[in-house]
């Protein structure tokens, strides 16, 4: 079974575990792990488990290759500078790579929820692209801005989900933000010292 584990003790627990925001964060985590150098099935399975997928997770090298293709397409959404660009990319992916929206309960094992893949046992790459497009589409609709970004640090290409109503984040983590702030500070002091020695 793809995407949904057995129903936990309450529907609210299930809804939280599989919320739009959680699914979007899972998308970012998978895009990042799949962008790495030769991720293996175990690496990808670890991310899936961290976001609620139940064992057994039987991924093959071919599954990972298909998921890498899907992740590369999803990265385009994170690269969008404006809501219009994100929506245009999502519309193209929805048109070219997903099926019509459908409701499933995985034969009664979960609460009813929407899917865009062909069926409950769709290949992993198709599942990743369809479930991610669904979540990212809802975020664009809800916030009227791109759902995420690529980290602004030149040494990091990780994607992340933007959230909240404050200033938009530029970095994927505090570590990247701090590293760039320290580098800018050093450049500034280096420039000051250069001009003092002239």
């Amino acid at each position: 079974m793809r995407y949904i584990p057995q129903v936990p003790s309450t529907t609210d627990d299930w809804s939280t575990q599989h919320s739009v925001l959680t699914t979007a964060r899972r998308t970012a985590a998978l895009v990042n792990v799949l962008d790495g150098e030769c991720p293996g099935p175990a690496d990808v399975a670890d991310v899936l488990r961290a976001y609620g997928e139940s064992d057994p997770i039987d991924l093959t090298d071919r599954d990972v290759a298909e998921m890498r293709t899907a992740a590369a397409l999803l990265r385009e959404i994170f690269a969008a500078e404006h809501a219009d660009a994100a929506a245009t990319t999502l519309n193209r992916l929805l048109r070219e790579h997903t099926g019509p929206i459908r409701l499933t309960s995985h034969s009664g094992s979960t609460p009813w929820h929407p899917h865009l893949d062909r069926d409950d046992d769709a290949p992993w790459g198709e599942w990743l692209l369809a479930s991610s497009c669904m979540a990212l589409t809802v975020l664009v609709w809800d916030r009227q801005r791109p759902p995420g970004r690529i980290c602004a640090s030149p040494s990091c290409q990780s994607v992340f989900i933007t959230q909240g109503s404050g200033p938009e984040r530029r970095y994927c983590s505090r570590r990247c933000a701090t590293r760039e702030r320290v580098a800018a500070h050093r450049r500034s002091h280096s420039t000051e010292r250069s001009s003092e020695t002239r």
Side-chain angles (χ1 to χ4, degrees), residues 151 153 171-182:
C151 186
S153 173
Y171 300 101
C172 68
S173 66
R174 286 185 180 156
R175 190 173 86 199
C176 279
T178 300
R179 183 176 58 239
E180 291 307 311
R181 198 168 35 252
V182 168

Side-chain angles (χ1 to χ4, degrees), residues 16-142:
T16 300
Q17 191 174 13
H18 298 287
S19 71
V20 169
L21 189 54
T22 300
T23 301
R25 287 179 178 145
R26 182 198 65 212
T27 297
L30 285 168
V31 168
N32 290 334
V33 75
L34 290 161
D35 192 44
E37 289 186 33
C38 302
D43 302 315
V44 178
D46 286 345
V47 173
L48 291 168
R49 276 187 209 94
Y51 284 89
E53 188 69 27
S54 59
D55 281 314
I57 299 175
D58 297 320
L59 291 170
T60 65
D61 288 333
R62 181 177 178 181
D63 293 327
V64 172
E66 290 173 2
M67 291 175 84
R68 283 178 66 109
T69 300
L73 294 170
L74 292 165
R75 182 173 276 280
E76 296 175 40
I77 302 163
F78 290 92
E81 291 292 322
H82 306 287
D84 290 353
T88 298
T89 301
L90 278 162
N91 281 337
R92 178 176 50 80
L93 294 177
L94 289 165
R95 181 177 60 251
E96 294 174 2
H97 299 284
T98 67
I101 194 165
R102 64 188 177 82
L103 287 169
T104 182
S105 68
H106 296 277
S107 302
S109 65
T110 69
W112 287 100
H113 60 280
H115 267 236
L116 288 172
D117 47 9
R118 284 181 309 219
D119 59 54
D120 291 350
D121 291 320
W124 283 101
E126 181 183 335
W127 163 84
L128 172 60
L129 192 56
S131 64
S132 298
C133 282
M134 171 93 67
L136 298 177
T137 295
V138 172
L139 290 182
V140 171
W141 170 23
D142 186 48

